[in-house]
Amino acid sequence: MIVLAIVVPCYNEEAVLPEMTKRLFSFLDDLAHRQLISEASRVYLVDDGSQDRTWSLIAQQVAIDSRVHGIKLSRNRGHQNALLAGLLHAEGDAVISIDADLQDDLNAIEQMVEEFNVGKDIVYGVRKQRDRDTRFKRMTAEGYYRLLVMMGVEVVFNHADYRLLSRRAIEALRQFREVNLFLRAVIPLLGFSSSIVYYQRKERFAGESKYPLRKMLSLAWQGITSFSAVPLRMITVAGFMIFLGSLSITVWAIGIRLFSDQAVPGWASTVVPIYLMGGIQLLGIGVIGEYLAKTYMETKARPLFIIEQQIPDKNNEPMKDAHPPHS
């Protein structure tokens, strides 16, 4: 039987955390009773710098059940970094990441374990449909995935961060050192055998979404500029198209000047170059600046997260960073 680890990033989840752990352990007990997973399976709750009672509730769960491990980041580092902290510190033959809001169907875990047992290193949890979303949410979410694919970013359509990773996949993930983290595109780069498990996403049990439209747009831009050079190439294409347009307007302006009396002296030679060249230069500088900013952040090599406290702390090491030195 495999030892399963479940990683749950938590940010201001005091309203949902007690119910989440209750349901999660009830489900794990059922799997262990049916001998699908080992009774030594664990749950890792990662507090991403919460401002409510999330950490104290995690500490209570650790005191109640020895299978719970708490990881407290020193400050809020964002969902992706908190998730990575849990993945890199979790022990077990396979690690499943799941959100704390109880929207991901726990029954998919059993299917993921079955796929792992037949040799899959990565199992993606993918939503069957988005009938519970508003029309705007559905259009923007599906448009988000299509945009990433169009820009050359390899992602699994309608997959967020509900997935199983084998120990081999986790160790391969440990080798990635990038600061601009976008796990939905990093995981496919691992290249191991994978499969998909479909599930029906539920309503959030309590609290509010930690991914409003602003953060979703930010995450989309992060994915594009971290994994695709297409925007840079689009500058070249746009520049060429504008050059052709400018050339056409120039020919038109010359024709008006030579074959009619409607030409306005100085208009074409002044307005057309200013607007066209000014626009393409600003666009180019903006996109290039975004990539330079990311290069700047990567060269700093700052840790993605700093762990302030772990409970239970087997190694008695209260502070660990995301980038330990290579041996």
Side-chain angles (χ1 to χ4, degrees):
M1 291 183 291
I2 70 168
V3 175
L4 186 67
I6 297 183
V7 173
V8 187
C10 303
Y11 178 66
N12 292 342
E13 297 289 3
E14 66 173 343
V16 72
L17 199 145
E19 181 65 21
M20 180 269 293
T21 53
K22 176 184 175 182
R23 293 189 191 182
L24 192 55
F25 278 112
S26 176
F27 186 77
L28 292 182
D29 288 339
D30 178 63
L31 294 183
H33 178 73
R34 290 188 285 141
Q35 298 186 340
L36 296 177
I37 63 173
S38 169
E39 293 184 354
S41 298
R42 304 178 178 91
V43 172
Y44 292 80
L45 303 177
V46 184
D47 179 20
D48 183 24
S50 297
Q51 299 175 351
D52 59 3
R53 297 177 54 249
T54 295
W55 179 246
S56 63
L57 291 175
I58 291 175
Q60 291 177 19
Q61 292 295 327
V62 173
I64 294 172
D65 196 321
S66 61
R67 294 173 296 176
V68 180
H69 289 246
I71 299 175
K72 186 178 189 300
L73 304 190
S74 60
R75 53 159 294 178
N76 177 252
R77 296 296 301 169
H79 177 270
Q80 297 290 283
N81 291 339
L83 178 55
L84 182 66
L87 293 176
L88 298 186
H89 286 80
E91 299 178 355
D93 302 312
V95 181
I96 290 179
S97 56
I98 188 172
D99 289 340
D101 54 18
L102 292 175
Q103 289 188 279
D104 296 328
D105 185 6
L106 296 180
N107 292 314
I109 293 177
E110 182 175 348
Q111 301 175 56
M112 290 180 180
V113 171
E114 292 174 353
E115 291 294 315
F116 172 79
N117 287 333
V118 298
K120 302 299 182 182
D121 286 287
I122 305 171
V123 185
Y124 299 101
V126 175
R127 297 178 63 168
K128 286 183 180 179
Q129 52 191 1
R130 289 183 172 271
D131 56 335
R132 295 180 182 272
D133 291 344
T134 63
R135 184 176 182 180
F136 177 76
K137 172 67 174 177
R138 182 167 60 253
M139 290 176 60
T140 54
E142 293 181 350
Y144 157 74
Y145 287 104
R146 292 191 179 96
L147 178 62
L148 288 175
V149 172
M150 185 175 65
M151 289 292 180
V153 183
E154 184 180 355
V155 292
V156 178
F157 191 78
N158 270 340
H159 164 71
D161 291 294
Y162 190 21
R163 68 177 75 87
L164 177 146
L165 298 175
S166 68
R167 175 50 50 188
R168 180 168 65 164
I170 291 292
E171 294 307 314
L173 178 62
R174 198 184 300 274
Q175 300 177 42
F176 283 75
R177 318 289 291 179
E178 52 199 85
V179 173
N180 301 287
L181 191 63
F182 185 61
L183 288 173
R184 300 178 194 185
V186 169
I187 301 302
L189 294 179
L190 299 180
F192 296 119
S193 60
S194 64
S195 62
I196 292 176
V197 167
Y198 293 95
Y199 70 97
Q200 185 66 47
R201 193 165 172 84
K202 302 177 181 180
E203 295 287 346
R204 183 179 177 88
F205 176 77
E208 58 183 17
S209 173
K210 304 306 185 296
Y211 266 101
L213 180 61
R214 177 182 59 83
K215 285 192 175 181
M216 285 300 298
L217 292 174
S218 175
L219 187 64
W221 184 243
Q222 178 89 309
I224 292 171
T225 55
S226 296
F227 289 87
S228 175
V230 170
L232 288 174
R233 298 189 182 106
M234 288 174 63
I235 296 176
T236 303
V237 174
F240 181 71
M241 296 302 293
I242 290 178
F243 168 75
L244 292 180
S246 301
L247 187 62
S248 300
I249 293 176
T250 301
V251 172
W252 173 79
I254 293 174
I256 292 294
R257 177 68 180 85
L258 294 178
F259 303 107
S260 75
D261 56 358
Q262 300 178 1
V264 178
W267 175 85
S269 61
T270 303
V271 175
V272 173
I274 288 177
Y275 277 90
L276 291 180
M277 296 308 298
I280 191 61
Q281 286 175 354
L282 289 175
L283 174 64
I285 291 173
V287 176
I288 293 172
E290 178 68 22
Y291 279 87
L292 288 176
K294 289 187 178 298
T295 303
Y296 172 67
M297 294 303 297
E298 292 288 350
T299 56
K300 287 178 176 292
R302 291 173 176 170
L304 297 179
F305 54 84
I306 297 175
I307 294 179
E308 178 180 333
Q309 184 179 359
Q310 289 190 72
I311 48 176
D313 188 358
K314 298 184 297 182
N315 300 319
N316 194 28
E317 297 177 355
M319 302 289 283
K320 293 183 179 180
D321 63 38
H323 295 322
H326 292 294
S327 56

